[in-house]
Amino acid sequence: MIPVRGYQGQKVAVLGLGRSGLATARALAAGGAEALLWDDSPEARAKAEAEGFSLTDLTRATALDGVAALVTSPGIPHLFPRPHPIIARALEAGVPVDNDIGLFFRSWATPDWDRFDTPPRAVCITGSNGKSTTTALIHHILQVAGRPTQMAGNIGRGVLDIDPPQDGEVVVLELSSYQTDLARALTPDVAVFTNLSPDHLDRHGGMGGYLAAKARLFTAGGPDRAVIGVDEVEGRFLADQIGQGPQDDRVIRISSGTKLEGFGWSVFARKGFLSEWRKGRQMASIDLREVKGLPGAHNHQNACAAYAACRSLGVAPKLIEQALHSFAGLPHRSQLVGERNGVRFVNDSKATNVDAAAKALQAFPKIRWIAGGLGKEGGIAALQPLLGAVVKAYLIGHSARDFALQIGETPHEICETMERAVARAAEEAQPGEVVLLAPAAASFDQYPNFEKRGEDFTARVRALTGG
C-alpha cells in the first residue's frame, strides 16, 4: 500500500467504492486521514461495510463542510455530460476534486528514497487502443531484464494498492482518459501515448476534450521521456507541442508502417521488422514476424511503444527481443488459445467495436471470422473493405442477421451461438487459416462482459484441441 501523504488529521471524502475507491480509503487511513466514504449503489455500500468501513452520506447538504478534498472514482462524471451532484457541490464550494492517480503521484516518493542508489521510476501509458497490451509488455520486458517492477492502474491492482517501491524499481501504470483528466498531480518519468480514435466522447465533450485529457499526462508534469505514436495527426501534434524540434530526443516517435529516420530518436515497424533510429543511424532491428503473442500491425505498434519505453530505461535491445518472444499476450486481445492441424484459434473478444475488429482482421492472411453480439450504432458496414482475408464469417448473437446484410459478398453462416460457431469454423478450417473471434459488437446479449465471451470461446477451442 502507498499511504497517502499530505492529509494527516484531515477529512477526505471518497466517492465511489469500487476497487480504486476502497484502495483509496485504505491508503488515506494509512496516511492518517479520516476517510468519509459514499457510493450511490446500496450493493457497493454494503460491500464496503462488510469490509469494516463506515459510511458517510455525502448527499447531505453539509456533508462536505470541513472536507480537505473529494476523491472520486474514474467512472463518475466530473464535467461532461454533467457533473455528479456531489462533485458539483464540491466545485461550487471550492473543495479540491482529485482521484487516486493524483494521490499516488503526491505520495509515492518518500524520505526512504534518500537511501536508494537508483530512485524508483514511473512509466505511464495512455491512448485509445493498445494501452493494456503495451503496459503488460513493458512490465514483462522489465521482468525478463531482471528489473524490479510492479504493474497497476487501469490494469491489475489499484495504484494505491501496490507495495512501496524498492531501490531501482519501475512502476508501470495504464491510465485511461478518465484518470488523466482529473488527477491533480501527474509526474511520470516516462509517458507513452499509443494512438487516438473516437471514444468516451460524451465524457470529454468531443474529440478536443478527449485529446486534452490524454495530453495532460505529458503537459501537467513534464516527463523525462515521451513516447508518442505518430500514426494519427493528433499524435504528431502532441509530439510537436512537447518537443523542441525534430532532433529533440526527449520525444521518441513511434509508428507502425511509416519510416521515421529524420528524428533524434524514433522506433518504427515496417514489413514485420522493428527498427530503432537515433540521430540518423539505425541502432537495432528486431524481426516481429515470428513473435506469436503480438500478431498484426496494431500489435507491432504496441511492440514499438514498449521497446521505446524500455530503451529509455536502459534495457538492452537483445533483452527486449528475448522478452518479446516470451510474451504470451493478454487474455481476449489477439490471444492465441489453441492450434490444431495447422489451424490457429485466436481470441480477440475485446474487439467490441469496428475500429478494434478492423485491426484484428488485418493481422492474419486467411480468416474464419466469428463475429456478432449486440451491435453498435452503424453496425459493421465500415468493415467491408477489410474483409478480403475472410474466407467465411460465422455470425452469432442478437445482431447476426443484421451483420449478414452488411458484409457484402463475404461467405457467411448464421450460427447464433458460440458453440455452433466454433464447431462449424473448426470443421471447415484448412491448414494455414486462423479461426478469429473478433466480434465487432458488445457482449451483453449473451454474456455479462467481453471476458466471459472470450472465456467461452477459449473453453470450446480447448475442448476441441485438447489444450
Side-chain angles (χ1 to χ4, degrees), residues 193-378:
F193 175 88
T194 58
N195 50 57
L196 199 78
S197 60
D199 205 1
H200 311 306
L201 300 188
D202 59 329
R203 274 290 299 268
H204 298 295
M207 280 294 286
Y210 182 42
L211 175 60
K214 299 286 190 187
R216 289 194 73 245
L217 184 61
F218 302 85
T219 59
D224 295 334
R225 284 274 190 269
V227 177
I228 309 289
V230 295
D231 288 334
E232 296 91 23
V233 66
E234 293 90 352
R236 295 191 287 274
F237 175 79
L238 180 59
D240 185 79
Q241 285 287 296
I242 62 179
Q244 297 298 316
Q247 296 306 310
D248 184 353
D249 66 2
R250 294 173 304 168
V251 178
I252 308 176
R253 290 167 170 82
I254 63 164
S255 173
S256 177
T258 301
K259 275 189 177 182
L260 301 172
E261 298 174 356
F263 298 97
W265 199 347
S266 63
V267 179
F268 58 88
R270 292 187 78 244
K271 299 180 179 179
F273 286 86
L274 180 152
S275 298
E276 177 189 2
W277 283 69
R278 295 193 73 171
K279 301 188 186 307
R281 295 179 52 208
Q282 185 171 348
M283 307 299 293
S285 178
I286 297 175
D287 186 349
L288 298 175
R289 294 173 298 178
E290 297 304 317
V291 178
K292 289 189 175 181
L294 295 165
H298 62 304
N299 274 313
H300 290 179
Q301 185 191 52
N302 298 335
C304 289
Y307 178 98
C310 291
R311 288 290 289 132
S312 74
L313 295 169
V315 182
K318 286 295 182 185
L319 276 176
I320 297 176
E321 182 174 10
Q322 176 188 338
L324 292 179
H325 282 280
S326 60
F327 182 64
L330 286 179
H332 320 300
R333 297 164 174 87
S334 296
Q335 177 193 18
L336 179 65
V337 295
E339 295 187 57
R340 186 181 74 165
N341 301 329
V343 176
R344 288 181 290 164
F345 295 80
V346 174
N347 166 23
D348 203 346
S349 183
K350 182 66 166 64
T352 59
N353 57 42
V354 165
D355 184 63
K359 291 178 170 61
L361 289 169
Q362 294 174 82
F364 307 101
K366 295 181 180 179
I367 298 170
R368 302 274 173 175
W369 180 32
I370 299 177
L374 190 61
K376 298 188 175 180
E377 186 176 354

Side-chain angles (χ1 to χ4, degrees), residues 367 369 383-384 386-393 395 404 406-413:
I367 298 170
W369 180 32
L383 292 175
Q384 272 203 44
L386 304 176
L387 300 183
V390 176
V391 179
K392 184 176 177 179
L395 304 174
Q406 297 169 3
I407 59 175
E409 300 300 317
T410 303
H412 65 273
E413 181 176 333

